[in-house]
Amino acid sequence: MFYQFITGPLLWLAFIVFFGGLIVRVVNYIRGLDWQLDRVAYRAHPGMALKGALSSIIHWLVPFGSVGWRFKPIYTFIFFVFHIGLVVTPLFLEGHAVLLKERWGINWPTISMGLADTLTIGVMAATVCIAIRRIALPEVRIVTTFYDYFLLLLTVAPFATGFLTVYQAHNPWAIQDFWLYAHILSGELLLMAIPFTKLFHVVGYFLSRGQLGVDFGVKRAIKAKGGFAW
Amino acid sequence: MPEGILCNKTPVTSKEQLDSVLADKGGKKYYEEMKRLDVDVEKLQTTLQATCKSRIRTWLEMCAHCGLCADSCFLYLANRKDPTQVPSYKILSTLGKIVKNNGNVDNAHMKYCMDVAWSKCTCCNRCGSFCPYGIDMGVMFGYLRGLCFSQGFVPWELKIGSGMHRIFKAQMDVTPEDWVETCEWMADEQQDEWPGLEIPVDKEGADILYTCNAREPKHYPEDIAEAAILFHIAGENWTVPSEGWEQTCLTLFAGDWAGCKSQVENVYGAIERLKPKRVLGTECGHAHRCMVIEGPYWAGRADGRPPAPYLHYTEWVAEALRTGKIKIDPAKRIKEPVTLQDSCNYIRNYGLKDVTREIMSYLVEPGYFVEMTPNKEHNFCCGGGGGINGIGMYRQQRNVGLKVKRDQILATGCKLVVSPCHNCWDAIRDLEEVYELGIKWTFLKPLLIKMAIIPEHLKPKEEEEE
């Protein structure tokens, strides 16, 4: 009964809040752009704008693709282990694809369990590194707040609980389905939190990087052959 | 609502006001008054409501506190990695707090904002290219300066600078008459050496309309003479406007948004009046940013472009060398290690990196040009940008900031720095004064005049007869 509820109505609610919230975010961001206040001619040079935006987004999306990423290689490695795991694992996990198949008969591509485990361990290890980095480096510590740790915990929770769901399933001492429920609920909590927290950068990254790319594309790098060297 | 007689929320718009602020040497009384200056919270809220839109709000909200911006900031590096110099910290603790509290901040906070906005950021925009989200703290500090200015929290020198622009339409008290006289004087001075040299004023439909920095007529008019000599050698059909010749805009440094608009309109007015084919600015990064990069937006031009193609001086020099309008005597090329200062304003923020290097390829004997590291769009600010060069109370902070450029220059092993930007030129001059490296620094104009092959018909007649 409880399982039906959290994988039924609550899951739908989570998706509605997640997608609805992000759409509102995107719309509000774009509506709030002002060519004169931002001093960026967003509409006047569409070709240059698009080229600038794509260049900016892609350079930073590719591991070591930008000058900035190459400047801090260790951080960059941890960053991409974290983010690739975060995106790929839940989307292509066999356990998730099974649900799609059972409910709607959709054949969804999956990754192997071994890869899923590796990515999940990667996410958890990267989380620890990121937390240590926040404490150890003075330039990160000074801007770190309690909220940053909370978000880190919120983000890693579905992965840790998901991992335990798989590996505690046959532990006779474990409370039955405890980790499974914890996994589902923490996942839904994360989905619903994304539009309302800094985690909205799942779309915000593309907006913000794209915006600066347009700025350089139509204004600040117009005389640079090949555009700005991100 | 207590406001000072000198330090207040009203910009300087009359000669009397300006004189009384100027009479307060070093701004002693001005800064005393600032301690008691109230914050008009309602006005601040209205301004935020009208001007702080999704871009800045998103930047402030989304910053992941990752600290990657730290090493991108030369002031952080120059201050031995002081965490309070991390760009993210600097902006979140200033503008971030104002936005979070919706303008409910006190005098102490605004004073803190002023100190950070003018002594801990030169608006070089380097951090923006190192932030994964593309959060440009230089842009935000520019915005914060506007909020500070509107509340009267602005360094004394920039209160004056803004007033100068509002009264004289120039950063110094140079009237159109002074300007035209200086041009005539400079043209006369050159007649022995450059017979027939002219500085045409207000000629309509010229190929080039030349604009400059008020410091040139005020402090080193030779610079105008040099520009004229080079136009003379190149055989350009050029002119200067009697009004609208001042390309700089200290109002931009000051955060005086209305002042920026009127300054830009003054220059654009000259362009529209004289209808030149192209406009050319002097060797100044700030001036280029004012009139070419940001200017169109202040003037409300939706295409983001000035009314006529507006070149940076380096663009014209490169073109003149490329087309042979100016020919360099190979024997006179630089034959010592020489490096090049990339100005943030027209390299990172306009993309002229190849143009300046093309010029170097003509002026320097192959093998002698040494790049700084980092360079081009990732170069560090000279240490004197954003107005900090001219603010007395932040002189110490400025001098510390110069260390990064000092070390960059030392690493090249060069004793000569080519610096086609007034601000960088000043910063490097001061750097030499403070740290005594034994280096020389130069604009392009004197180098070009020294090296150019003078066409026979331009040489003085007597010399030929002798």
Side-chain angles (χ1 to χ4, degrees), chain B residues 202-228:
Chain B
D202 281 341
K203 183 156 85 173
E204 277 185 40
D207 291 339
I208 289 174
L209 177 73
Y210 183 66
T211 57
C212 68
N213 179 325
R215 295 162 36 166
E216 295 170 10
K218 184 82 179 177
H219 293 310
Y220 23 92
E222 326 69 90
D223 203 287
I224 299 166
E226 286 168 354

mmCIF file of all heavy atoms in Angstrom, chain B residues 202-228:
data_model
loop_
_atom_site.group_PDB
_atom_site.id
_atom_site.type_symbol
_atom_site.label_atom_id
_atom_site.label_comp_id
_atom_site.label_asym_id
_atom_site.label_seq_id
_atom_site.Cartn_x
_atom_site.Cartn_y
_atom_site.Cartn_z
ATOM 1 N N ASP B 202 36.446 69.743 -36.631
ATOM 2 C CA ASP B 202 35.064 69.766 -37.138
ATOM 3 C C ASP B 202 34.942 69.686 -38.664
ATOM 4 O O ASP B 202 34.070 70.318 -39.261
ATOM 5 C CB ASP B 202 34.336 71.042 -36.650
ATOM 6 C CG ASP B 202 33.879 70.905 -35.210
ATOM 7 O OD1 ASP B 202 33.792 69.758 -34.726
ATOM 8 O OD2 ASP B 202 33.607 71.936 -34.572
ATOM 9 N N LYS B 203 35.810 68.903 -39.277
ATOM 10 C CA LYS B 203 35.672 68.716 -40.723
ATOM 11 C C LYS B 203 34.595 67.660 -40.958
ATOM 12 O O LYS B 203 34.652 66.565 -40.392
ATOM 13 C CB LYS B 203 37.017 68.244 -41.291
ATOM 14 C CG LYS B 203 37.004 68.087 -42.797
ATOM 15 C CD LYS B 203 38.384 68.194 -43.396
ATOM 16 C CE LYS B 203 39.158 66.932 -43.398
ATOM 17 N NZ LYS B 203 40.418 66.900 -44.075
ATOM 18 N N GLU B 204 33.643 67.977 -41.797
ATOM 19 C CA GLU B 204 32.563 67.009 -42.049
ATOM 20 C C GLU B 204 32.975 65.944 -43.050
ATOM 21 O O GLU B 204 33.742 66.217 -43.976
ATOM 22 C CB GLU B 204 31.315 67.744 -42.561
ATOM 23 C CG GLU B 204 30.501 68.327 -41.415
ATOM 24 C CD GLU B 204 29.206 68.942 -41.869
ATOM 25 O OE1 GLU B 204 28.555 68.364 -42.764
ATOM 26 O OE2 GLU B 204 28.858 70.010 -41.331
ATOM 27 N N GLY B 205 32.456 64.763 -42.854
ATOM 28 C CA GLY B 205 32.666 63.675 -43.805
ATOM 29 C C GLY B 205 34.090 63.169 -43.933
ATOM 30 O O GLY B 205 34.443 62.574 -44.954
ATOM 31 N N ALA B 206 34.904 63.401 -42.917
ATOM 32 C CA ALA B 206 36.286 62.916 -42.974
ATOM 33 C C ALA B 206 36.309 61.382 -42.921
ATOM 34 O O ALA B 206 35.330 60.746 -42.531
ATOM 35 C CB ALA B 206 37.090 63.489 -41.813
ATOM 36 N N ASP B 207 37.443 60.805 -43.322
ATOM 37 C CA ASP B 207 37.553 59.346 -43.228
ATOM 38 C C ASP B 207 37.623 58.887 -41.772
ATOM 39 O O ASP B 207 37.117 57.837 -41.416
ATOM 40 C CB ASP B 207 38.808 58.849 -43.967
ATOM 41 C CG ASP B 207 38.673 59.034 -45.478
ATOM 42 O OD1 ASP B 207 37.522 59.157 -45.937
ATOM 43 O OD2 ASP B 207 39.706 59.064 -46.167
ATOM 44 N N ILE B 208 38.320 59.721 -40.971
ATOM 45 C CA ILE B 208 38.496 59.348 -39.567
ATOM 46 C C ILE B 208 38.176 60.518 -38.647
ATOM 47 O O ILE B 208 38.643 61.637 -38.855
ATOM 48 C CB ILE B 208 39.958 58.904 -39.305
ATOM 49 C CG1 ILE B 208 40.228 57.547 -39.978
ATOM 50 C CG2 ILE B 208 40.235 58.817 -37.810
ATOM 51 C CD1 ILE B 208 41.668 57.122 -39.891
ATOM 52 N N LEU B 209 37.355 60.232 -37.638
ATOM 53 C CA LEU B 209 37.128 61.199 -36.561
ATOM 54 C C LEU B 209 37.900 60.662 -35.364
ATOM 55 O O LEU B 209 37.705 59.515 -34.961
ATOM 56 C CB LEU B 209 35.625 61.275 -36.234
ATOM 57 C CG LEU B 209 35.228 62.194 -35.081
ATOM 58 C CD1 LEU B 209 35.356 63.654 -35.487
ATOM 59 C CD2 LEU B 209 33.804 61.918 -34.622
ATOM 60 N N TYR B 210 38.800 61.500 -34.833
ATOM 61 C CA TYR B 210 39.663 61.022 -33.745
ATOM 62 C C TYR B 210 39.160 61.534 -32.398
ATOM 63 O O TYR B 210 38.861 62.713 -32.234
ATOM 64 C CB TYR B 210 41.093 61.504 -33.999
ATOM 65 C CG TYR B 210 42.096 61.018 -32.988
ATOM 66 C CD1 TYR B 210 42.410 59.659 -32.886
ATOM 67 C CD2 TYR B 210 42.746 61.903 -32.136
ATOM 68 C CE1 TYR B 210 43.347 59.202 -31.959
ATOM 69 C CE2 TYR B 210 43.695 61.460 -31.214
ATOM 70 C CZ TYR B 210 43.987 60.104 -31.134
ATOM 71 O OH TYR B 210 44.911 59.667 -30.226
ATOM 72 N N THR B 211 39.054 60.619 -31.436
ATOM 73 C CA THR B 211 38.655 61.001 -30.075
ATOM 74 C C THR B 211 39.745 60.554 -29.111
ATOM 75 O O THR B 211 40.463 59.605 -29.387
ATOM 76 C CB THR B 211 37.337 60.335 -29.663
ATOM 77 O OG1 THR B 211 37.481 58.911 -29.772
ATOM 78 C CG2 THR B 211 36.182 60.797 -30.524
ATOM 79 N N CYS B 212 39.862 61.247 -27.986
ATOM 80 C CA CYS B 212 40.965 60.891 -27.083
ATOM 81 C C CYS B 212 40.580 60.985 -25.621
ATOM 82 O O CYS B 212 39.414 61.069 -25.259
ATOM 83 C CB CYS B 212 42.186 61.735 -27.405
ATOM 84 S SG CYS B 212 41.963 63.466 -27.019
ATOM 85 N N ASN B 213 41.601 60.972 -24.780
ATOM 86 C CA ASN B 213 41.453 60.978 -23.339
ATOM 87 C C ASN B 213 41.828 62.378 -22.857
ATOM 88 O O ASN B 213 42.875 62.900 -23.250
ATOM 89 C CB ASN B 213 42.431 59.913 -22.807
ATOM 90 C CG ASN B 213 42.438 59.790 -21.304
ATOM 91 O OD1 ASN B 213 42.289 60.767 -20.584
ATOM 92 N ND2 ASN B 213 42.633 58.574 -20.827
ATOM 93 N N ALA B 214 41.003 62.973 -22.028
ATOM 94 C CA ALA B 214 41.226 64.369 -21.612
ATOM 95 C C ALA B 214 42.599 64.608 -21.006
ATOM 96 O O ALA B 214 43.084 65.731 -20.978
ATOM 97 C CB ALA B 214 40.156 64.797 -20.615
ATOM 98 N N ARG B 215 43.220 63.562 -20.522
ATOM 99 C CA ARG B 215 44.556 63.751 -19.958
ATOM 100 C C ARG B 215 45.532 64.164 -21.038
ATOM 101 O O ARG B 215 46.573 64.756 -20.736
ATOM 102 C CB ARG B 215 45.021 62.464 -19.304
ATOM 103 C CG ARG B 215 44.148 62.124 -18.125
ATOM 104 C CD ARG B 215 44.306 60.717 -17.769
ATOM 105 N NE ARG B 215 45.713 60.377 -17.999
ATOM 106 C CZ ARG B 215 46.259 59.280 -17.531
ATOM 107 N NH1 ARG B 215 45.529 58.433 -16.865
ATOM 108 N NH2 ARG B 215 47.519 59.017 -17.753
ATOM 109 N N GLU B 216 45.225 63.820 -22.263
ATOM 110 C CA GLU B 216 46.138 64.190 -23.350
ATOM 111 C C GLU B 216 46.187 65.706 -23.528
ATOM 112 O O GLU B 216 47.266 66.285 -23.415
ATOM 113 C CB GLU B 216 45.775 63.411 -24.621
ATOM 114 C CG GLU B 216 46.015 61.915 -24.412
ATOM 115 C CD GLU B 216 45.476 61.012 -25.517
ATOM 116 O OE1 GLU B 216 45.056 61.515 -26.566
ATOM 117 O OE2 GLU B 216 45.477 59.780 -25.313
ATOM 118 N N PRO B 217 45.067 66.384 -23.777
ATOM 119 C CA PRO B 217 45.159 67.852 -23.844
ATOM 120 C C PRO B 217 45.608 68.468 -22.521
ATOM 121 O O PRO B 217 46.299 69.495 -22.514
ATOM 122 C CB PRO B 217 43.739 68.290 -24.200
ATOM 123 C CG PRO B 217 42.856 67.136 -23.914
ATOM 124 C CD PRO B 217 43.706 65.920 -24.090
ATOM 125 N N LYS B 218 45.234 67.862 -21.407
ATOM 126 C CA LYS B 218 45.520 68.483 -20.113
ATOM 127 C C LYS B 218 46.986 68.284 -19.697
ATOM 128 O O LYS B 218 47.639 69.225 -19.284
ATOM 129 C CB LYS B 218 44.592 67.868 -19.054
ATOM 130 C CG LYS B 218 44.706 68.472 -17.664
ATOM 131 C CD LYS B 218 43.915 69.741 -17.514
ATOM 132 C CE LYS B 218 44.058 70.282 -16.094
ATOM 133 N NZ LYS B 218 43.362 71.554 -15.923
ATOM 134 N N HIS B 219 47.466 67.058 -19.766
ATOM 135 C CA HIS B 219 48.789 66.778 -19.208
ATOM 136 C C HIS B 219 49.877 66.432 -20.217
ATOM 137 O O HIS B 219 51.031 66.754 -20.007
ATOM 138 C CB HIS B 219 48.717 65.659 -18.171
ATOM 139 C CG HIS B 219 47.954 66.055 -16.957
ATOM 140 N ND1 HIS B 219 48.195 67.225 -16.277
ATOM 141 C CD2 HIS B 219 46.939 65.452 -16.304
ATOM 142 C CE1 HIS B 219 47.370 67.320 -15.253
ATOM 143 N NE2 HIS B 219 46.590 66.257 -15.252
ATOM 144 N N TYR B 220 49.568 65.691 -21.250
ATOM 145 C CA TYR B 220 50.618 65.443 -22.245
ATOM 146 C C TYR B 220 50.107 65.615 -23.663
ATOM 147 O O TYR B 220 49.844 64.654 -24.374
ATOM 148 C CB TYR B 220 51.353 64.099 -22.085
ATOM 149 C CG TYR B 220 50.665 63.002 -21.361
ATOM 150 C CD1 TYR B 220 49.895 62.058 -22.050
ATOM 151 C CD2 TYR B 220 50.816 62.871 -19.978
ATOM 152 C CE1 TYR B 220 49.284 61.026 -21.371
ATOM 153 C CE2 TYR B 220 50.206 61.836 -19.303
ATOM 154 C CZ TYR B 220 49.439 60.917 -20.000
ATOM 155 O OH TYR B 220 48.832 59.905 -19.337
ATOM 156 N N PRO B 221 50.020 66.901 -24.041
ATOM 157 C CA PRO B 221 49.506 67.207 -25.385
ATOM 158 C C PRO B 221 50.374 66.609 -26.490
ATOM 159 O O PRO B 221 49.910 66.489 -27.620
ATOM 160 C CB PRO B 221 49.510 68.736 -25.438
ATOM 161 C CG PRO B 221 50.406 69.174 -24.355
ATOM 162 C CD PRO B 221 50.347 68.125 -23.298
ATOM 163 N N GLU B 222 51.613 66.222 -26.143
ATOM 164 C CA GLU B 222 52.468 65.589 -27.177
ATOM 165 C C GLU B 222 51.749 64.387 -27.792
ATOM 166 O O GLU B 222 51.973 64.044 -28.948
ATOM 167 C CB GLU B 222 53.796 65.046 -26.637
ATOM 168 C CG GLU B 222 54.536 65.701 -25.540
ATOM 169 C CD GLU B 222 53.894 65.633 -24.177
ATOM 170 O OE1 GLU B 222 54.157 64.681 -23.429
ATOM 171 O OE2 GLU B 222 53.150 66.570 -23.832
ATOM 172 N N ASP B 223 50.928 63.739 -26.960
ATOM 173 C CA ASP B 223 50.228 62.558 -27.457
ATOM 174 C C ASP B 223 49.320 62.917 -28.639
ATOM 175 O O ASP B 223 49.221 62.164 -29.611
ATOM 176 C CB ASP B 223 49.404 61.937 -26.327
ATOM 177 C CG ASP B 223 49.115 60.468 -26.590
ATOM 178 O OD1 ASP B 223 48.272 60.182 -27.475
ATOM 179 O OD2 ASP B 223 49.713 59.616 -25.920
ATOM 180 N N ILE B 224 48.693 64.095 -28.562
ATOM 181 C CA ILE B 224 47.831 64.538 -29.674
ATOM 182 C C ILE B 224 48.709 64.851 -30.882
ATOM 183 O O ILE B 224 48.383 64.495 -32.017
ATOM 184 C CB ILE B 224 47.024 65.783 -29.265
ATOM 185 C CG1 ILE B 224 46.136 65.447 -28.070
ATOM 186 C CG2 ILE B 224 46.185 66.301 -30.423
ATOM 187 C CD1 ILE B 224 45.564 66.656 -27.380
ATOM 188 N N ALA B 225 49.856 65.476 -30.593
ATOM 189 C CA ALA B 225 50.781 65.786 -31.688
ATOM 190 C C ALA B 225 51.253 64.497 -32.359
ATOM 191 O O ALA B 225 51.319 64.406 -33.588
ATOM 192 C CB ALA B 225 51.974 66.570 -31.141
ATOM 193 N N GLU B 226 51.534 63.493 -31.545
ATOM 194 C CA GLU B 226 51.996 62.210 -32.106
ATOM 195 C C GLU B 226 50.914 61.580 -32.987
ATOM 196 O O GLU B 226 51.204 61.050 -34.060
ATOM 197 C CB GLU B 226 52.380 61.255 -30.978
ATOM 198 C CG GLU B 226 53.706 61.629 -30.320
ATOM 199 C CD GLU B 226 53.961 60.883 -29.015
ATOM 200 O OE1 GLU B 226 53.071 60.151 -28.537
ATOM 201 O OE2 GLU B 226 55.055 61.041 -28.464
ATOM 202 N N ALA B 227 49.679 61.647 -32.485
ATOM 203 C CA ALA B 227 48.579 61.097 -33.292
ATOM 204 C C ALA B 227 48.512 61.836 -34.623
ATOM 205 O O ALA B 227 48.367 61.220 -35.690
ATOM 206 C CB ALA B 227 47.262 61.238 -32.540
ATOM 207 N N ALA B 228 48.663 63.172 -34.557
ATOM 208 C CA ALA B 228 48.581 63.981 -35.775
ATOM 209 C C ALA B 228 49.720 63.641 -36.737
ATOM 210 O O ALA B 228 49.510 63.535 -37.945
ATOM 211 C CB ALA B 228 48.625 65.466 -35.399
#
